[in-house]
Amino acid sequence: MKETDPNIDSEKSALRVNPGIEQPASINNDALRKYKSRKKSVMNADDFVDGVLSGNRVVLSRAITLVESALDAHYRLAQQVIEKCLPHSGQSLRIGITGVPGVGKSSFIETLGLYLTSIGHRVAVLAIDPSSEISKGSILGDKTRMEKLSADPNAFIRPSPSAGTLGGVTRKTRETIILCEAAGFDIILIETVGVGQSETAVHSMVDFFLLLMLAGAGDELQGIKRGIIEMCDGMAINKADGDNMHRATMAQAQLQCALNLFPVHQSGWKPKVELCSALHNTGIEKVWQMVKYHSDTMKNSGFFELKRAKQLSYRMLDTINQALISRFYQNPKIIEMLPKVEQLLNNHQITAYQAAESLLSLYFEKEKSRKAD
Ligand code: GDP
């Protein structure tokens, strides 16, 4: 603004414009430089594979992000990476760890993980959390958990993918296992909450399924579903410390008796119950010995490979099932007819069986005519 009236003291005028401070450029040059260098470093499948195979954790993390992405282009790139990593995978021991919230899963994983790295292993920790869609990752999501293990150069911790159906999360975890193994992690710990269907998913991808329990929390089976007990290869009663020690020892005997009533595993393995304290780092070695003994026994009897082969078949069939289900429900005719058929069903005009039949024949007729075109 220019002052035109010579009678106005320019220094005192309210119209005076202060020089002010220099404004920064509207573009952050630092960010721009980073963005440009990132754009230059767009990675192809071989770059990812090289990075993963050399054990580069940054590239491993980026590869997992690719696997977790909902974008089609990412999915395709991820599949190429997985395919190339596949021959370098399969060498680890995969351990599923479950138990009710508060039993001490993350404390246990941290203590076990630190023990394992101290004896020369490289440990990857993954999680399956079907509730994470709502809670945005209630397990392993909290960065303050497993502080020591996260700082360990021989450990790699990855929270549960926070979006998608259980089927989707399961596929992502399976592919993440392949990437971690290709990156040289020889022990994979997979945490899940002991309350839902995620146990079946985890069971279908691990060599040993460990159930963490508490002593003295009322009913010895603590609301854990019978199916989960049947699936487990071993139990560890955590918090076996201080005043709790006596109750823990009693619970150990009771649980061992309860386990003996379950049908023997096909492999002949009888699940054992150990005591431990994740907090005081006691009994962890014994739990590990149980896992080791199991895998040695299974490898000697051929059941280790047999189980992995079965898991692969299960994975294939599961993928087919998921694909068929999603194609069915995404079919425009089904989308249109489903509420109408449901209405007929609710009005008691047709039976549930007839309703299902009519929708299925509609779907398969549509498929047939689509192919004939
Ligand atoms: P999560 O929900 O199963 O992952 O359980 P956390 O690992 O978060 O542990 C729940 C609480 O139990 C925390 O306050 C832990 O400090 C405590 N805790 C975990 N392990 C032990 C243990 O071995 N002994 C005792 N006394 N407390 C433990």
Side-chain angles (χ1 to χ4, degrees), residues 64-71 127-139 158-173 176:
I64 297 174
T65 305
L66 210 60
V67 159
E68 291 173 356
S69 167
L71 291 181
I128 288 198
D129 181 4
S131 64
S132 61
E133 218 174 333
I134 304 149
S135 63
K136 294 279 166 269
S138 65
I139 55 173
R158 181 80 182 192
S160 175
S162 61
T165 57
L166 176 63
V169 170
T170 309
R171 173 188 64 78
K172 291 167 190 172
T173 308
T176 302

Side-chain angles (χ1 to χ4, degrees), residues 100-108 145 191 238-241 276-280:
V100 293
V103 69
K105 290 182 294 300
S106 36
S107 315
F108 176 83
R145 301 170 93 201
E191 176 185 1
N238 190 35
K239 308 196 188 184
D241 48 47
C276 69
S277 166
L279 197 66
H280 298 280

Side-chain angles (χ1 to χ4, degrees), residues 244-260:
N244 210 22
M245 198 60 212
H246 177 61
R247 277 185 301 177
T249 316
M250 279 179 20
Q252 182 184 26
Q254 282 165 351
L255 282 172
Q256 192 66 69
C257 278
L259 276 179
N260 293 343

Side-chain angles (χ1 to χ4, degrees), residues 231-342:
M231 272 189 257
C232 84
D233 299 296
M235 285 187 190
I237 301 174
N238 190 35
K239 308 196 188 184
D241 48 47
D243 294 345
N244 210 22
M245 198 60 212
H246 177 61
R247 277 185 301 177
T249 316
M250 279 179 20
Q252 182 184 26
Q254 282 165 351
L255 282 172
Q256 192 66 69
C257 278
L259 276 179
N260 293 343
L261 299 176
F262 280 88
V264 179
H265 286 205
Q266 202 194 356
S267 62
W269 174 257
K270 290 193 180 117
K272 308 208 167 13
V273 186
E274 293 292 350
L275 297 180
C276 69
S277 166
L279 197 66
H280 298 280
N281 194 358
T282 52
I284 300 294
E285 219 178 311
K286 280 205 113 178
V287 176
W288 175 242
Q289 276 161 11
M290 164 168 73
V291 176
K292 252 328 255 151
Y293 180 66
H294 173 267
S295 85
D296 291 345
T297 316
M298 294 301 115
K299 278 179 182 161
N300 287 337
S301 64
F303 267 92
F304 192 90
E305 278 311 313
L306 189 71
K307 189 171 176 181
R308 284 209 171 172
K310 273 190 184 168
Q311 289 175 338
L312 280 176
S313 303
Y314 174 86
R315 200 169 305 177
M316 177 187 74
L317 296 175
D318 194 41
T319 310
I320 295 174
N321 290 347
Q322 298 301 328
L324 286 176
I325 290 170
S326 83
R327 271 181 80 162
F328 178 83
Y329 287 107
Q330 279 165 15
N331 183 295
K333 265 285 161 208
I334 298 297
I335 295 175
E336 185 196 331
M337 288 307 289
L338 188 61
K340 295 180 184 161
V341 174
E342 257 178 335

Side-chain angles (χ1 to χ4, degrees), residues 208-241:
F208 190 97
F209 195 53
L210 179 70
L211 181 56
L212 285 186
M213 301 291 275
L214 289 173
D219 172 18
E220 283 317 338
L221 298 183
Q222 294 159 27
I224 298 265
K225 292 203 182 85
R226 189 190 151 94
I228 296 179
I229 312 253
E230 265 171 333
M231 272 189 257
C232 84
D233 299 296
M235 285 187 190
I237 301 174
N238 190 35
K239 308 196 188 184
D241 48 47

Side-chain angles (χ1 to χ4, degrees), residues 4-53:
T4 48
D5 190 342
N7 298 323
I8 296 176
D9 180 345
S10 66
E11 275 305 299
K12 291 181 184 158
S13 167
L15 297 175
R16 193 178 80 89
V17 177
N18 288 320
I21 50 165
E22 200 183 319
Q23 293 301 304
S26 59
I27 290 177
N28 179 339
N29 285 324
D30 252 7
L32 185 65
R33 219 173 303 122
K34 273 189 199 149
Y35 173 69
K36 279 186 175 161
S37 70
R38 198 167 349 126
K39 271 195 86 179
K40 264 188 229 145
S41 72
V42 169
M43 293 169 67
N44 62 26
D46 286 333
D47 296 333
F48 273 110
V49 175
D50 289 347
V52 168
L53 292 184

